[in-house]
Amino acid sequence: MKAAVFHKMGDISFDTVPDPKLEAPDDIILRITTTCICGSDLHIYDGFIPQLADMVVGHEFMGIVEEVGPEVRKIKKGGRVVVPFTIACGNCFFCQQGFHANCEHSNTKNYGPRGDLMKEKGGALFGYTDLYGGYDGGQAQFVRVPRANVGPVVIPDGLEDEQVVFLTDIFPTGWSAVKWGKVKPGDTVVIFGSGPVGLMAQKSAWLHGAERVIAVDPLEYRLNKAKTVNDVDVLNSEDDDLIQKIYDMTDGRGADVAIDAVGMEANRTFFEKAKAVINVEKGTAKVIDLCTQAVRRSGTISVVGVYGSPYDNFPIHRIFDKGLTMQFGQAQAIMYIDQCFEMVRQGKVVLDDIITHRLPLSKVSDAYDMFKNKTDDCVKVILKPGLDN
Ligand SMILES: NC(=O)c1ccc[n+]([C@@H]2O[C@H](COP(=O)([O-])OP(=O)(O)OC[C@H]3O[C@@H](n4cnc5c(N)ncnc54)[C@H](O)[C@@H]3O)[C@@H](O)[C@H]2O)c1
Ligand SMILES: [Zn+2]
Ligand SMILES: [Zn+2]
């Protein structure tokens, strides 16, 4: 089959690889109809999350079930499913509490309680490096989906791929961000990052009754997208008065909830990059710092942007002084996918209005380049293996 293969930093190509096969009795094989590139894929592409061997990448996908193992119960051959990005057993201590990204059984080689830099990581993710289980991803014509009784959700006829494909990751991620922020009716929510995840967090904040949603991003075209599709207030992160403007919009207090939908690859000055080299840091925690400033005292910060490094000068003093609550981590995609699906099914939210590019899978190298460099006003790319036939 053909698939997007990561070789080394900046090098993902459309290659021929072996077809996936059923390996366990609860596996399925999926023929991918739609797959997407995520900001998280960029951390591998940019070398921020290390991967030494070649690997089929991609964790956002849906498709048609081609083969089912003998112990697969809820899914039938020929069905259409969307697959959450985490691979989980569904039974362990963490899965039973809805923390499937911490599954004790899916990442057999590198799982552990310590959460170190290069070992003892969390549960497995599709196409997300050997550290996270070494499973092939779904930017491919076909993919093996392990633990198929747990993650995949059957999509009924009448809903197009584009309406539901973001249930695989970014909508439940935006939803998790808002749940973790404990957003309640009347709240003001400031969301850093107006990429795909930030846009989904904006939608989720409205769905949870927020009174005001403020989007922050350095890119005007992404702020315009946020205004158009989500009717939010916008502020440019390069604005010297950014934090004061947030105070001015919130009676001088700060937002009730701040969400980091940027992560460690936030825009940086030359000086900030040099400091990171000296401190042996990958990227920056500057958006977390901005969140601690922008949120009100006793407020909540929710971090879904990815971090893969410790940071010097982490603003722990301010977190203490303001009495902040923080939650970080991989989204609870499996836990929230049904709730999120209901929002779509009942027409309470539209997700596909963020798509800017639809390309055949064979264009995957160009697509990564465009999404990374934010050219052609790119917000979200979906790849269609079917367009190559
Ligand atoms: N926790 C999870 O389970 C989960 C799931 C999906 C994605 N993510 C992460 O969410 C983050 C965003 O993903 P995405 O797909 O939207 O990626 P993206 O790269 O398209 O979006 C990031 C946005 O942040 C903006 N930005 C850069 N510096 C900024 C700053 N200082 N202030 C405000 N905005 C700034 C960029 O211009 C861009 O629009 C990534 O770190 C990704 O890995 C996490
Ligand atoms: Zn993703
Ligand atoms: Zn588990």
Side-chain angles (χ1 to χ4, degrees), residues 87-96 99-100 102-106 147 150:
I87 301 171
C89 78
N91 295 319
C92 71
F93 175 86
F94 293 106
C95 285
Q96 283 188 354
F99 299 115
H100 296 84
N102 290 321
C103 176
E104 291 176 309
H105 297 141
S106 61
R147 313 270 186 184
V150 182

Side-chain angles (χ1 to χ4, degrees), residues 173-215:
T173 296
W175 190 265
S176 296
V178 163
K179 290 283 187 207
W180 295 351
K182 304 182 194 70
V183 174
K184 56 183 190 315
D187 276 355
T188 294
V189 185
V190 60
I191 300 173
F192 288 86
S194 207
V197 172
L199 289 163
M200 292 293 149
Q202 294 160 22
K203 291 177 192 290
S204 303
W206 288 135
L207 289 166
H208 283 74
E211 187 174 293
R212 185 166 211 176
V213 179
I214 306 168

Side-chain angles (χ1 to χ4, degrees), residues 274-347:
K275 184 177 142 290
V277 172
I278 293 163
N279 290 344
V280 204
E281 292 165 354
K282 281 191 178 176
T284 172
K286 72 187 278 184
V287 171
I288 297 182
D289 188 273
L290 288 170
C291 286
T292 64
Q293 296 180 55
V295 76
R296 66 162 162 79
R297 290 180 176 278
S298 303
T300 306
I301 299 175
S302 168
V303 181
V304 285
V306 167
Y307 291 90
S309 164
Y311 296 98
D312 211 16
N313 290 319
F314 190 79
I316 198 151
H317 64 300
R318 188 180 296 127
I319 297 167
F320 183 87
D321 181 65
K322 292 178 70 165
L324 305 178
T325 302
M326 300 181 77
Q327 186 161 352
F328 293 67
Q330 302 288 357
Q332 292 176 277
I334 294 179
M335 163 97 159
Y336 289 130
I337 194 167
D338 291 339
Q339 277 179 33
C340 289
F341 177 64
E342 268 311 289
M343 293 292 133
V344 177
R345 200 185 61 77
Q346 293 175 22

